[in-house]
Amino acid sequence: MSVSEVVKEFADRLSDELSGVESEAGAGSLAGLLAGASSTGSDDREVLAVLVEGVRLLNVANTLLAQTVQSAARIGVPARKRLKTGVDLLLGLGVPPAVAYRLSRVGKAFESVPALAGLASQARVGGVAIEHADAVGEGLAFVGKRVELDSEAELRVARRLMVQERPSDVRNRARELAIELEPIVEEGFDGVPVAENVELNEMSVVVGADGRTNVAIDVDAVLGEELLQALDPLCRPVLQPDGSRDPRNAGQRRADAFGQIVRTYLARNDRPTNGGVLPHVSLLVPVAVESGSGSAGSGAGGAGQVASLGFTGPVSSPTVGLVLCDAALRRLEVDGDGSALNVGREHRAVTVQIRKGLEARDRGCAAPGCGRPVGWTDAHHIVPWSEGGETSLANSVLLCRMHHTKVHHGGWEVFMGTDHHP
């Protein structure tokens, strides 16, 4: 029996076991175990044992693929199949690209790096996950590019990486070792690790054809730490008014937090000016759109009938309303102390005095159960400015950006109660 036949027979037997196919060999017992596992705990030990061996089997299979694809590349199978690399062989079998490249990297590392021989031996018996092996291989290469290693030093580094628990730990340890093992140089040497080199920092901001803005940022460790410290307190889940979980996933919370940081910065007065004025959101609104005689989102009126943001282009009617809640235009009313509590239609933007009154009244986002602080809120016109609403304490409410967006995009409404609270 050939090697490929042995592997095929094993795969067929395991497939039969999982499918519950009866045979003379007694196949189907594994399917029966998994289907019959109850919640009483009677099958715990057996099910957990299968889980442990399943992980080991997965590790063995991944190691088999890694070494086989490297062997295929070495003997020229891809070229004979009119393919470029061994990775293409895996892609043709439906392996996801990220997994295919990882398997190829590990196969090459096991074959070409003597210091990884021990790791390869553990992997062949299922003791090492392919992700961990990949992290060790890349970590060793990372250190080797920055510090000259002889065979003994390379083996020591590999062992120190192998004992880390998770792939992320391996990568962090590799960075530590690169710094720790860096040779002492004479004073005045200005070399810095790549992770700390600010000259490599870059950021791209691209507005796509669909109007969405894609941001990619690659920064040094210190700036990255500052960014994460700024985002962290703003990224935490917030319970809904009914006590249910925050519906936003981690990526959405992170994007909302980034937006809050940008809006907080734009609200400050001690920042650089652009053309003599403080830059803020620029919205070009055709008269027909603002007065309500045209639709900002339909585009039916042709050019000039759709509102547009300064950098990112055309936007729909709900977003126009969202932006105009915080924009600037006649009449002025004051209270007994001379504070402007109603500027009528003299100003579209809420004045400092009205803002202070809102903060004292609403104490943060007024949406039931929200609790976000005043610093995270926008001032919203209850009766929209475009519909004749005045800029006043009685016609304004503080809303965080999430609930502010729900009002403009989600059909929510705000009403002022008889107690003069929203």
Side-chain angles (χ1 to χ4, degrees):
M1 184 179 293
S2 67
V3 174
S4 60
E5 289 174 334
V6 171
V7 175
K8 183 179 184 302
E9 181 179 348
F10 173 75
D12 287 343
R13 173 63 186 273
L14 183 59
S15 177
D16 289 344
E17 287 277 354
L18 285 169
S19 302
V21 177
E22 297 294 341
S23 70
E24 295 180 0
S29 57
L30 178 57
L33 169 68
L34 299 180
S38 66
S39 59
T40 61
S42 58
D43 296 316
D44 284 8
R45 182 175 298 178
E46 188 71 6
V47 170
L48 289 173
V50 171
L51 193 63
V52 169
E53 293 305 319
V55 171
R56 177 170 171 256
L57 181 61
L58 177 65
N59 294 342
V60 170
N62 279 326
T63 303
L64 170 66
L65 288 173
Q67 294 190 304
T68 304
V69 75
Q70 175 60 16
S71 296
R74 184 177 0 95
I75 63 177
V77 173
R80 288 192 289 275
K81 293 292 183 181
R82 301 179 184 275
L83 299 172
K84 291 183 178 180
T85 65
V87 170
D88 295 319
L89 290 172
L90 294 174
L91 296 177
L93 294 171
V95 178
V99 178
Y101 282 104
R102 181 185 301 126
L103 291 169
S104 179
R105 286 195 301 269
V106 171
K108 290 178 182 177
F110 281 172
E111 183 174 271
S112 60
V113 183
L116 297 180
L119 183 66
S121 297
Q122 291 185 38
R124 282 191 288 270
V125 296
V128 177
I130 199 72
E131 294 81 5
H132 192 85
D134 187 36
V136 172
E138 291 199 310
L140 184 60
F142 177 87
V143 177
K145 288 178 181 178
R146 289 153 181 80
V147 182
E148 186 175 347
L149 301 173
D150 57 25
S151 58
E152 290 186 5
E154 191 176 53
L155 182 60
R156 287 196 298 270
V157 170
R159 287 173 176 169
R160 294 171 75 174
L161 295 176
M162 287 167 56
V163 298
Q164 304 305 311
E165 185 175 355
R166 296 168 298 187
S168 59
D169 296 333
V170 175
R171 297 184 184 98
N172 287 334
R173 188 63 178 134
R175 288 170 55 188
E176 292 174 355
L177 289 172
I179 297 172
E180 177 184 323
L181 299 175
E182 184 177 10
I184 299 175
V185 295
E186 42 182 75
E187 190 176 352
F189 177 69
D190 59 356
V192 293
V194 64
E196 300 164 32
N197 190 346
V198 297
E199 294 182 1
L200 300 178
N201 291 359
E202 61 180 12
M203 178 179 182
S204 65
V205 182
V206 180
V207 180
D210 58 359
R212 296 191 62 81
T213 302
N214 184 276
V215 179
I217 183 170
D218 180 4
V219 297
D220 64 278
V222 175
L223 181 53
E225 178 70 14
E226 292 171 339
L227 175 61
L228 294 174
Q229 287 286 0
L231 290 172
D232 181 62
L234 304 176
C235 285
R236 295 168 187 168
V238 178
L239 293 178
Q240 295 299 285
D242 61 359
S244 59
R245 297 176 61 182
D246 193 326
R248 302 170 299 164
N249 60 37
Q252 291 170 325
R253 296 199 307 271
R254 195 175 297 116
D256 288 348
F258 180 73
Q260 183 60 51
I261 291 172
V262 172
R263 287 189 294 274
T264 300
Y265 168 76
L266 290 176
R268 293 168 45 191
N269 290 323
D270 57 340
R271 54 189 174 89
T273 60
N274 187 4
V277 298
L278 289 172
H280 214 295
V281 174
S282 299
L283 180 70
L284 306 177
V285 186
V287 174
V289 173
E290 187 175 1
S291 64
S293 60
S295 171
S298 66
Q305 294 302 304
V306 177
S308 179
L309 292 169
F311 281 103
T312 56
V315 290
S316 64
S317 295
T319 298
V320 170
L322 178 64
V323 175
L324 289 183
C325 265
D326 212 14
L329 276 154
R330 286 180 279 241
R331 205 173 103 211
L332 177 65
E333 292 181 3
V334 298
D335 62 9
D337 297 324
S339 297
L341 298 182
N342 185 343
V343 293
R345 297 184 60 76
E346 178 70 22
H347 295 277
R348 169 172 268 136
V350 167
T351 63
V352 173
Q353 292 88 347
I354 294 177
R355 174 78 192 195
K356 289 181 179 178
L358 288 171
E359 292 179 358
R361 186 194 70 194
D362 297 345
R363 307 294 179 88
C365 179
C370 177
R372 288 180 172 86
V374 293
W376 294 20
T377 58
D378 303 330
H380 167 71
H381 287 73
I382 296 174
V383 178
W385 172 269
S386 61
E387 297 176 14
E390 296 183 341
T391 301
S392 66
L393 185 66
N395 190 45
S396 301
V397 59
L398 292 183
L399 295 173
C400 69
R401 183 49 63 102
M402 182 178 76
H403 287 110
H404 197 178
T405 302
K406 285 186 175 181
V407 170
H408 286 277
H409 288 187
W412 284 33
E413 293 185 75
V414 182
F415 299 94
M416 192 62 69
T418 56
D419 60 352
H420 304 293
H421 284 72

